[in-house]
Amino acid sequence: MLGNSILLAFREIRRNVLRSFLTILGIVIGVAAVITMVTIGGGATAQVSQQISSLGSNLLMVTPGKRLGPGQSSDTVPFKVSDAEAITRDIRSIAAVAPVSSQSLQAVSGNENWSTNVTGTDNSYFKVTNRSVRTGRTFSETELRSGAAVCVLGETVRKKLFGNQDPVGAKIRLQKLSCKVIGLLETKGQSTMGQDQDDLVVIPLRTLQRRVTGSQNISLIQVSVQDGASTEKVQQDIGKLMRERRHLAADEEDNFNVMDMKEITKMLTGTTQMLTALLSAVAAVSLLVGGIGIMNIMLVSVTERTHEIGIRLAIGALEREVLLQFLVEAVVLSSFGGLLGIVLALAGSLWLSGLLNVPFVFNAGIVVVAFLFSAAVGVIFGYFPALKAARLDPIVALRHE
C-alpha cells in the first residue's frame, strides 16, 4: 500500500512539475541556508582554533596593567627581564619563557621603506610562538649578550623591502639603527584578529633596549608550558610569583594579567558557535514558510481532486488509505526539496569557503538533521490536507465538478 502511495505521489508531482518546484522552494532555501550557515560557521570555528594554536602551544601571556575591560588597563607597572628570569627559575613545568618588548618603526632598505613592528626578544621567542626560520639562522648567544645589530625578518617585510630577493646578508635601517639581516621567518599569515603575523622584524632584546627605546622595561612575557602539564596550575603559580615580586598586599588587586590562550580560544569559538546558531535559527524560519506553502498547495490539490477522491471512497477505499496517499505526497515533496537543498548547500559551502578563505568542514550530522526536519515538515503540514481528503463524503465528492 505504501509503495503504491509513493508511485501515485510521483505521478502527481510529474503532472504539475512547475507547481511542485515552486511549492518546495521554501524547503530548498531553508535546508540550504541552515546547512550552509552551520558549515561556514564550523569552518570559521576551526580556523579560529587553528590560528590561535599557531601562536604557540600551551601559551600563557603575562602583561602589565589591571584588566578593566576589552583593551583597557590602568596602573601599568612594566616588567623587567628579571621577572622573566624569575619565572624560568621558580616555576615548574615551563618549556620556554620569552621576554618581549615591541615598538613600531620605519624599516628602510635602499629606496624602499615600510612601517613595521620591531620586536626585541631572545631565541625562546621562536620556540614559544612556534616560529621557525626558513633561511638563515636565529641569534647567537654572543649577539644576544652584546646587543648586536642583527635582525630576522618576517615575510611581509621581506616582500616590501626586497621583493622576491633573499634578504639574508643584506642590511636594513630601523630609524637610526642599521642592522644586518641574518634570517627569514616562515610564513604564518593573518591572526584571528586580522593582524598580519608576518609584518615584523625581530632583533635581540638588549639591542632594542639600548639602541632604540633606551629603557630596560619589557611589555610582555610569553610562557610556553610543557606538554601534559596543567596550564591552570602554571597560571596560578605565575600569578602568585608576580604578586610577590610586585609587593602586592593581600587586599590589593593584581596590576598584571596572566592570560591562557586556551581561554581566548574557548571565548572566540563560543562566540562563533553562538552566531552560527542564531543565523541557522533565522534560516530555519524558511523551512516553516516552506511547510505552509506545502499545506496550501496540498489543500488546492485536494479541492482539484475531490471527484477522484469520491470515486476511490465509493469503490471501497478506506479513509486511512486516502490519508496515507496525500500524506505520502506531502512527505515526498518536502523530502525532494530537502535533497535539492542539501546539494545546493554543499555546492554553496564549497564556493563560500574558498571565497572567505575558511576551511570546508563537512558536518554529516546537520545534513541528516536538515533532511529529517524537511521530511517532518511534510508530515506536519501535510497532515491537515490529507485528513480533509480522507474525511470527504463520497456522495458530495462525486457530485463535485
Side-chain angles (χ1 to χ4, degrees):
M1 185 171 62
L2 179 61
N4 186 49
S5 297
I6 294 174
L7 290 176
L8 288 173
F10 276 111
R11 186 194 69 182
E12 291 302 322
I13 291 172
R14 286 198 306 270
R15 182 183 296 175
N16 299 286
V17 174
L18 181 58
R19 188 172 75 178
S20 299
F21 175 73
L22 294 176
T23 301
I24 64 174
L25 199 54
I27 300 291
V28 173
I29 294 172
V31 169
V34 169
I35 295 176
T36 302
M37 289 297 102
V38 172
T39 302
I40 297 300
T45 301
Q47 187 179 48
V48 167
S49 301
Q50 181 182 359
Q51 288 179 343
I52 291 180
S53 64
S54 73
L55 295 176
S57 56
N58 300 331
L59 183 63
L60 298 177
M61 313 275 280
V62 189
T63 57
K66 291 182 181 178
R67 183 180 298 177
L68 300 179
Q72 299 179 346
S73 62
S74 67
D75 300 334
T76 301
V77 179
F79 293 121
K80 303 292 183 181
V81 174
S82 57
D83 292 316
E85 293 172 346
I87 293 175
T88 304
R89 182 181 64 249
D90 299 336
I91 305 298
R92 294 183 178 181
S93 304
I94 296 294
V97 177
V100 177
S101 184
S102 301
Q103 187 160 328
S104 180
L105 296 175
Q106 197 77 12
V108 180
S109 174
N111 296 325
E112 304 295 333
N113 67 87
W114 179 250
S115 179
T116 186
N117 180 54
V118 178
T119 299
T121 185
D122 57 26
N123 285 331
S124 297
Y125 172 80
F126 303 107
K127 181 177 181 180
V128 169
T129 58
N130 285 339
R131 303 204 73 136
S132 57
V133 175
R134 186 168 65 191
T135 58
R137 61 178 178 84
T138 55
F139 310 120
S140 67
E141 288 301 320
T142 303
E143 290 167 341
L144 290 171
R145 284 196 303 268
S146 64
V150 292
C151 61
V152 179
L153 303 185
E155 178 64 18
T156 299
V157 179
R158 193 267 300 182
K159 287 181 179 178
K160 296 297 182 181
L161 298 184
F162 297 97
N164 294 323
Q165 297 178 3
D166 186 357
V168 176
K171 285 196 172 185
I172 66 170
R173 193 171 77 253
L174 302 171
Q175 301 288 59
K176 297 179 181 180
L177 173 65
S178 177
C179 60
K180 181 181 178 181
V181 180
I182 62 171
L184 176 65
L185 293 171
E186 288 283 0
T187 303
K188 292 200 81 171
Q190 284 193 337
S191 68
T192 306
M193 305 300 182
Q195 182 182 6
D196 186 355
Q197 299 182 85
D198 300 315
D199 188 6
L200 84 165
V201 176
V202 185
I203 65 176
L205 178 60
R206 190 161 292 182
T207 306
L208 183 78
Q209 291 176 333
R210 289 180 176 177
R211 306 178 66 174
V212 178
T213 64
S215 169
Q216 297 300 307
N217 297 333
I218 58 176
S219 57
L220 171 68
I221 301 175
Q222 294 181 313
V223 180
S224 179
V225 181
Q226 293 177 358
D227 291 336
S230 170
T231 54
E232 291 81 3
K233 177 67 166 58
V234 175
Q235 187 178 17
Q236 292 173 3
D237 292 343
I238 292 175
K240 292 177 183 177
L241 177 63
M242 289 297 103
R243 288 187 63 85
E244 291 175 5
R245 292 186 61 82
R246 289 173 169 248
H247 309 292
L248 296 175
D251 58 345
E252 288 185 281
E253 294 183 1
D254 294 342
N255 58 2
F256 61 91
N257 295 302
V258 184
M259 295 180 292
D260 189 348
M261 294 306 291
K262 290 180 180 177
E263 295 176 1
I264 298 175
T265 302
K266 289 179 181 178
M267 179 187 69
L268 291 176
T269 54
T271 301
T272 306
Q273 289 169 352
M274 182 181 67
L275 288 174
T276 300
L278 288 174
L279 291 172
S280 300
V282 172
V285 174
S286 297
L287 287 172
L288 298 179
V289 175
I292 294 172
I294 286 178
M295 182 171 65
N296 289 337
I297 294 301
M298 291 303 297
L299 286 171
V300 171
S301 180
V302 169
T303 302
E304 290 178 345
R305 294 155 62 187
T306 300
H307 192 73
E308 173 193 331
I309 296 167
I311 293 174
R312 291 195 63 189
L313 291 172
I315 62 175
L318 301 175
E319 283 190 11
R320 66 171 181 270
E321 293 174 341
V322 176
L323 176 71
L324 181 64
Q325 176 188 342
F326 281 88
L327 198 58
V328 166
E329 189 172 324
V331 172
V332 168
L333 269 174
S334 59
S335 299
F336 190 60
L339 289 174
L340 282 179
I342 290 171
V343 173
L344 183 63
L346 294 179
S349 297
L350 278 170
W351 178 72
L352 283 174
S353 295
L355 184 66
L356 300 175
N357 197 27
V358 297
F360 175 77
V361 180
F362 177 71
N363 189 331
I366 192 61
V367 171
V368 173
V369 168
F371 176 75
L372 292 177
F373 193 80
S374 67
V377 165
V379 174
I380 295 169
F381 288 92
Y383 182 77
F384 177 69
L387 187 63
K388 180 182 178 182
R391 290 182 175 178
L392 282 175
D393 187 329
I395 298 174
V396 174
L398 286 170
R399 289 175 180 170
H400 188 274
E401 292 296 336

